[in-house]
């Protein structure tokens, strides 16, 4: 895989972008446009924009070397912020009475991130791979063919992280496996 195509894949399938698109596609089909709009607003204003602003400010200040937080020390400092935002999303999901299955799936995703936090000093687990596979497994549980395509795209995303030297093969395998397991667990809700 060329550096250009790996970079393009990494940008197009960035977790923040994939989650946003996922909301409007998958959730709209399962729960309707009104639920999808609520979740899109929550994810955008409680998670995506705060993360984009935080990372952008940190990048401008020279506190991080790149937007993806590829440096282990930089990522380790960001985990508490990410976990706080996920906790807030879960609380708001309950407050706004979003479908229990969706809130439960968010809880499983958040627990996966908490596990990553505890392994942070040993491995810089790929959030691109884990998020991509997590969502792909959710789609696969409801729509086999589309889910299969999402799994293939997730594999390409994982390969791009290695090609860009943002992660080792081990970090991508652990991220992919974690996303698959968490995604399968979330489909049991």
């Amino acid at each position: 895989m060329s550096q250009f195509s790996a970079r393009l894949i990494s940008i197009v399938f960035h977790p923040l972008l994939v989650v946003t698109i996922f909301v409007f596609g998958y959730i709209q089909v399962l729960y309707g446009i009104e639920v999808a709009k609520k979740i899109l607003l929550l994810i955008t204003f409680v998670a995506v924009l705060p993360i984009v602003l935080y990372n952008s400010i940190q990048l401008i200040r020279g506190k991080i070397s790149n937007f993806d937080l590829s440096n282990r020390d930089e990522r380790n400092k960001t985990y508490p912020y990410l976990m706080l935002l996920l906790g807030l999303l879960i609380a708001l999901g309950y407050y706004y009475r979003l479908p229990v299955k969706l809130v439960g799936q968010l809880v499983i995703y958040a627990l996966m991130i908490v596990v990553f936090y505890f392994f942070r000093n040993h491995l810089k687990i790929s959030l691109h791979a884990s998020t991509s596979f997590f969502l792909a497994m959710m789609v696969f549980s409801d729509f086999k063919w589309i889910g299969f395509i999402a799994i293939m795209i997730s594999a390409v995303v994982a390969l791009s992280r290695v090609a860009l030297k943002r992660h080792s093969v081990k970090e991508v395998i652990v991220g992919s496996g974690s996303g698959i397991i968490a995604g399968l667990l979330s489909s049991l809700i």
Side-chain angles (χ1 to χ4, degrees):
M1 177 179 298
S2 74
Q3 288 292 301
F4 175 77
S5 60
R7 227 177 275 118
L8 183 63
I9 290 165
S10 190
I11 291 168
V12 170
F13 295 102
H14 191 281
L16 295 175
L17 185 57
V18 169
V19 166
T20 306
I21 292 168
F22 176 79
V23 166
F24 236 65
Y26 177 76
I27 294 175
Q28 180 181 346
V29 169
L30 289 181
Y31 300 102
I33 189 74
E34 291 307 314
V35 172
K37 282 181 190 176
K38 281 183 189 176
I39 294 172
L40 181 64
L41 286 172
L42 280 174
I43 288 174
T44 300
F45 290 105
V46 176
V48 174
L49 287 178
I51 290 170
V52 168
L53 288 171
Y54 178 81
N55 286 4
S56 298
I57 290 168
Q58 299 294 41
L59 193 59
I60 290 167
R61 291 182 177 169
K63 304 259 184 194
I64 61 174
S65 55
N66 61 62
F67 191 82
D68 284 343
L69 301 167
S70 296
N71 176 288
R72 181 181 289 174
D73 293 331
E74 295 168 2
R75 178 173 293 192
N76 288 349
K77 293 174 186 172
T78 306
Y79 271 117
Y81 181 64
L82 179 57
M83 291 185 296
L84 174 72
L85 294 176
L86 286 169
L88 185 57
L89 269 176
I90 292 165
L92 289 170
Y94 279 116
Y95 178 79
Y96 287 113
R97 298 173 193 230
L98 295 177
V100 173
K101 180 177 179 175
L102 284 176
V103 176
Q105 290 169 323
L106 185 56
V107 168
I108 290 172
Y109 181 80
L111 289 173
M112 181 180 72
I113 299 300
V114 169
V115 169
F116 292 177
Y117 175 74
F118 286 110
F119 284 96
R120 72 190 181 281
N121 293 323
H122 306 287
L123 217 56
K124 183 180 54 111
I125 300 170
S126 174
L127 292 175
H128 275 74
S130 60
T131 301
S132 186
F133 274 106
F134 177 81
L135 297 174
M137 297 312 294
M138 286 175 60
V139 173
F140 184 77
S141 72
D142 290 309
F143 308 103
K144 299 297 183 229
W145 282 106
I146 297 170
F148 179 76
I149 292 167
I151 290 168
M152 294 298 107
I153 291 170
S154 297
V156 172
V157 169
L159 289 171
S160 76
R161 304 310 289 164
V162 174
L164 289 172
K165 297 182 172 131
R166 302 286 176 136
H167 292 282
S168 67
V169 172
K170 183 178 176 181
E171 292 167 339
V172 167
I173 289 172
V174 171
S176 300
S178 299
I180 290 168
I181 291 167
L184 288 172
L185 287 173
S186 77
S187 69
L188 297 175
I189 295 175

